[in-house]
Amino acid sequence: MEIEKLVLPGIEASERPIIIAGPCSAESREQVLNTAQELAKNGVKIFRAGIWKPRTKPGGFEGVGTVGLPWLKEVKQKTGMLVATEVATAAHVFEAVKAGIDILWIGARTAANPFAMQELADSLKGTDIPVLVKNPVNPDLELWIGALQRLVNAGITNVGVILRGFSTYDQKLYRNLPLWHIPIELRRRYPNITMFCDPSHIGGKRELVAPISQQAMDLKFDGLMVESHCNPDEALSDAKQQITPQVLDFTIKMLVLRENKQTTENISVLRKQIDEIDEQLLTILAKRNRVSREIGMYKKENNMPVLQTGRYNEILEKRAQMGEAMNLDKEFVFAIMKSIHEESVRIQLAL
Ligand code: PEP
Ligand code: MN
């Protein structure tokens, strides 16, 4: 399977980070339009809102359903933003495509289910709508790739992925563990794949959105999908992790986009220094061994024992002190001096 870079109308290929933002759920026409207008004012070009919500337990807010689709259409008309929503069944696909939704995403629970993925792939046949696949809830890279394969096999090739983190039993720092090595391996296998990071569902808390977004940028993610609500505290789902459009704007402006070129240039200067230092270290060690060999000759001619415990202890103690004064760890200096001294003893014994 080959995966090319995601193409989105009106979004430059070079744009980074591509921002997708909007509420966890579309709740009312007013909430959708207020949030969208604020986001658009700040330059966000892609609006997200969940219409059908997969909730862990029944009885919660499960989304407004198809009545919310015209609100997204209105967002499109009034702001010019692209609009995106989550689909989990063939019926959702049918409704979303009919309503002119621009981008679809597949949620973490759905991506973990091959039957559901196949049903979605089949229902999408013949469309050219961009589809983003969130990671499955369980940390199974092959399952994630399998989900993409089902779409690609059905001719849906304009695809990308969203890292939203992986479920754990005890949620300590993160709501869902990012396990960054998984998307890194995905990128290694599919170098052109467009990867979004969803810091909202990874962190589960407002204050984690910024640091996780920065980490995603440092790991060369192409974009971010962030939950943003005009009144987060009142949100009907995921209230704790949603941020206002203003906070989102600030968060994006604070991101540091480290240029690849600059980083490798800086690092190569430092690496050159390390290379030179290592050469000096080896030259000095070779010199020390030559002197040690001469001492060995002297000891042999004068019938002295090779190992003199007093001298050995003196060397270890004094060097450790010297090292400490230079801010070197005492244990580290001990280990090195022991190893150097051992080599000295070996050289002298060989004589
Ligand atoms: C969401 O994006 O609101 C959502 C339900 O996401 P996930 O599938 O990652 O839980
Ligand atoms: Mn959510």
Side-chain angles (χ1 to χ4, degrees):
M1 174 174 69
E2 287 208 16
I3 296 186
E4 292 309 324
K5 214 169 151 57
L6 184 76
V7 181
L8 299 173
I11 308 287
E12 295 289 329
S14 59
E15 189 160 328
R16 199 175 87 90
I18 307 167
I19 304 291
I20 303 174
C24 178
S25 307
E27 298 165 3
S28 67
R29 177 176 169 271
E30 197 194 10
Q31 169 249 10
V32 165
L33 284 169
N34 280 350
T35 309
Q37 265 150 356
E38 286 298 308
L39 290 167
K41 221 166 53 191
N42 295 336
V44 175
K45 294 181 193 150
I46 310 172
F47 184 75
R48 67 148 278 161
I51 292 287
W52 301 282
K53 299 304 298 177
R55 305 312 299 276
T56 303
K57 287 182 178 147
F61 175 63
E62 302 203 307
V64 291
T66 45
V67 297
L69 289 169
W71 307 338
L72 296 187
K73 219 173 180 170
E74 211 175 328
V75 166
K76 228 172 120 160
Q77 285 158 356
K78 292 209 164 124
T79 68
M81 280 196 275
L82 300 176
V83 293
T85 201
E86 173 177 344
V87 288
T89 65
H92 295 166
V93 170
F94 176 78
E95 294 294 343
V97 171
K98 195 172 72 178
I101 300 296
D102 302 289
I103 302 166
L104 302 178
W105 85 81
I106 295 169
R109 295 157 193 81
T110 313
N113 179 345
F115 290 123
M117 276 310 307
Q118 194 55 52
E119 178 188 318
L120 286 172
D122 291 339
S123 69
L124 284 160
K125 260 186 199 153
T127 68
D128 59 356
I129 193 161
V131 180
L132 300 173
V133 182
K134 287 202 171 190
N135 65 263
V137 277
N138 49 328
D140 184 342
L141 177 59
E142 302 311 320
L143 192 60
W144 199 359
I145 292 174
L148 291 165
Q149 274 168 346
R150 288 177 197 277
L151 293 172
V152 172
N153 290 350
I156 312 303
T157 55
N158 198 15
V159 294
V161 295
I162 306 170
L163 176 77
R164 54 76 81 189
F166 302 92
S167 296
T168 53
Y169 179 64
D170 59 348
Q171 295 167 356
K172 287 207 172 116
L173 176 59
Y174 298 110
R175 179 178 175 194
N176 293 292
L177 293 177
L179 304 182
W180 298 107
H181 52 286
I182 294 179
I184 289 170
E185 172 61 13
L186 183 65
R187 166 80 88 210
R188 191 186 67 77
R189 295 206 217 166
Y190 303 98
N192 297 326
I193 197 164
T194 299
M195 300 203 306
F196 287 85
C197 172
D198 169 346
S200 313
H201 289 91
I202 292 175
K205 309 175 189 69
R206 280 170 210 161
E207 57 273 27
L208 287 181
V209 170
I212 296 169
S213 299
Q214 182 61 56
Q215 244 176 311
M217 289 302 99
D218 292 343
L219 291 170
K220 298 283 173 278
F221 274 72
D222 303 276
L224 300 169
M225 177 188 259
V226 187
E227 286 189 340
S228 178
H229 190 294
C230 54
N231 191 359
D233 288 332
E234 301 299 315
L236 299 181
S237 58
D238 289 348
K240 284 202 196 93
Q241 69 194 33
Q242 302 207 59
I243 56 177
T244 61
Q246 288 79 355
V247 171
L248 174 69
D249 189 46
F250 181 68
T251 304
I252 296 165
K253 286 187 176 134
M254 290 293 285
L255 288 175
V256 181
L257 295 182
R258 291 176 237 273
E259 282 299 320
N260 224 356
K261 204 165 133 257
Q262 196 191 344
T263 321
T264 36
E265 264 173 11
N266 287 346
I267 243 183
S268 66
V269 170
L270 293 171
R271 283 194 176 137
K272 201 158 161 260
Q273 286 181 23
I274 289 281
D275 289 347
E276 283 165 15
I277 291 168
D278 283 352
E279 194 184 330
Q280 287 167 12
L281 273 175
L282 293 176
T283 309
I284 294 210
L285 282 174
K287 197 166 166 182
R288 192 186 195 281
N289 283 356
R290 266 199 308 276
V291 175
S292 169
R293 195 171 287 115
E294 276 178 41
I295 293 178
M297 296 295 285
Y298 181 91
K299 285 178 183 163
K300 191 182 164 196
E301 278 158 21
N302 294 280
N303 260 336
M304 288 164 73
V306 162
L307 190 64
Q308 285 161 322
T309 330
R311 171 72 178 148
Y312 177 51
N313 286 338
E314 186 191 315
I315 286 185
L316 281 186
E317 281 305 321
K318 281 201 174 150
R319 303 297 185 267
Q321 272 175 21
M322 227 191 268
E324 262 191 315
M326 298 177 194
N327 230 348
L328 288 168
D329 180 79
K330 198 170 174 181
E331 294 302 315
F332 173 65
V333 177
F334 253 97
I336 287 185
M337 288 317 300
K338 262 189 192 153
S339 167
I340 291 175
H341 190 265
E342 238 173 65
E343 177 62 1
S344 243
V345 170
R346 190 193 64 77
I347 290 170
Q348 295 184 6
L349 282 176
L351 295 170

